[in-house]
Structure formats: C-alpha cells, structure tokens
Amino acid sequence: MSILINGSAVALPDDPRVSLLDLLREGLHLAGTKKGCNQGACGACTVLVDGARIVSCLALAVQYDGRQVTTIEGLADGDALHPLQQAFIDHDGFQCGYCTPGQICSAIGMAAEAKRGVPSHVSADLTADVTLTREELQERMSGNLCRCGAHNGIIDAIRETLTVEMGAAELAA
C-alpha cells in the first residue's frame, strides 16, 4: 500500500491516525505544505489529490492509498516554475509567503473545477458555462486565507495564468 506523492511511491504510515499533512511535513520533510489552523479553515495545507484540491490537515494519509498527491514541490518542472508560481512572483501575490503554497495548489484545483463547469455560490446561472469574473475567482478562492493582504496580487496572478490556459473568452472583467 502506497501513495504516489509528486511522482514517487511512498509507503503509508504504520499509524492510521497520521494526517496527510503530517506525513508530508514530518514524514517526508516536504515543508512547502503549511500547517496553519489544523482545522481545515485556512487553506494553508491545500494539496492536489488526483487533480482535486483538498485540505491535507483533515485527511488521513491511509485514505489516499493508490492515489496521486501533488504538493507545491511537485508543480515545478525541474528548474522551471509552474506558470502560476511564476505569476505569483510577477504580481506580488505573496508577502510573508506562508499561504502561498496552499493558494497556488487551490487555484490549480479551482481552475479544473471551473473547466468542468462546477458553479460557485456567486454563479448567476448554475447551468451555464463558468465565466471566471473577478468576483467568481474571489469566491472560489475564499477558503484560502491571506492575513498579509496580498489578495489583489493573488487574483491578478490567477487571472493571468487562467487567461493563457483557458482563453480570454472564459474570463470576464
């Protein structure tokens, strides 16, 4: 039994009570995934599991046997940053940087949700294709807290990256 973490098979912990977050940080020394509230409310520990975003502090590692987990460390391609990582730098989408890994993983998962047509609380038409307005992006990223006030840079970085990936037609002012 193992989990595929950033492309490498990792044995499940012997203790079934170990959270995915603790396995990543303490077991594998992948310090990019942050422990914030440890209650699933801040989003600092967000990772991708099979492309979907989850808060790893509320997940038991054993639940993810056979699944693919991607952390912030697994997004880059060698020395080349993921486009969203570069956009965060270009748009000053961080100050202290503590929430940044969770923000980036969450934004990647959010983009996949939008591509699948998953509506949000502020979606006007639940049956229409998703148009990622600034309001939509803010709502969809509301589970990731930034206490430094880098929200505008974060949204700008996401908008820039999604414009390239999704096309301008799916984004609106």
Side-chain angles (χ1 to χ4, degrees):
M1 295 178 30
S2 66
I3 307 172
L4 195 62
I5 298 178
N6 297 332
S8 298
V10 173
L12 291 172
D14 292 333
D15 185 345
R17 299 169 296 173
V18 173
S19 71
L20 181 56
L21 173 61
D22 288 340
L23 173 65
L24 295 171
R25 289 187 58 79
E26 296 171 22
L28 302 176
H29 307 289
L30 295 171
T33 305
K34 304 300 186 209
K35 185 177 278 194
C37 68
N38 211 27
Q39 298 175 1
C42 72
C45 67
T46 302
V47 297
L48 300 167
V49 175
D50 298 330
R53 57 186 171 166
I54 67 156
V55 287
S56 60
C57 69
L58 296 182
L60 296 175
V62 296
Q63 293 175 274
Y64 296 94
D65 179 31
R67 311 269 305 268
Q68 183 171 334
V69 175
T70 305
T71 68
I72 192 71
E73 292 91 349
L75 294 178
D77 184 12
D79 290 337
L81 294 176
H82 183 281
L84 190 55
Q85 290 172 309
Q86 185 61 53
F88 264 65
I89 293 168
D90 296 343
H91 290 278
D92 294 324
F94 56 90
Q95 285 183 27
C96 80
Y98 197 82
C99 73
T100 303
Q103 296 272 2
I104 291 172
C105 287
S106 186
I108 291 168
M110 178 270 305
E113 293 165 8
K115 284 180 185 178
R116 289 193 316 270
V118 177
S120 79
H121 177 71
V122 298
S123 298
D125 183 349
L126 301 181
T127 62
D129 288 339
V130 174
T131 301
L132 292 173
T133 63
R134 188 170 198 85
E135 182 182 35
E136 275 282 345
L137 289 174
Q138 290 169 331
E139 171 62 24
R140 290 169 182 272
M141 292 298 295
S142 65
N144 290 79
L145 303 180
C146 170
R147 290 178 171 87
C148 296
H151 296 286
N152 288 330
I154 291 168
I155 297 300
D156 290 344
I158 294 168
R159 284 183 60 81
E160 175 184 283
T161 305
L162 292 182
T163 299
V164 171
E165 289 181 5
M166 296 177 74
E170 295 176 10
L171 289 172

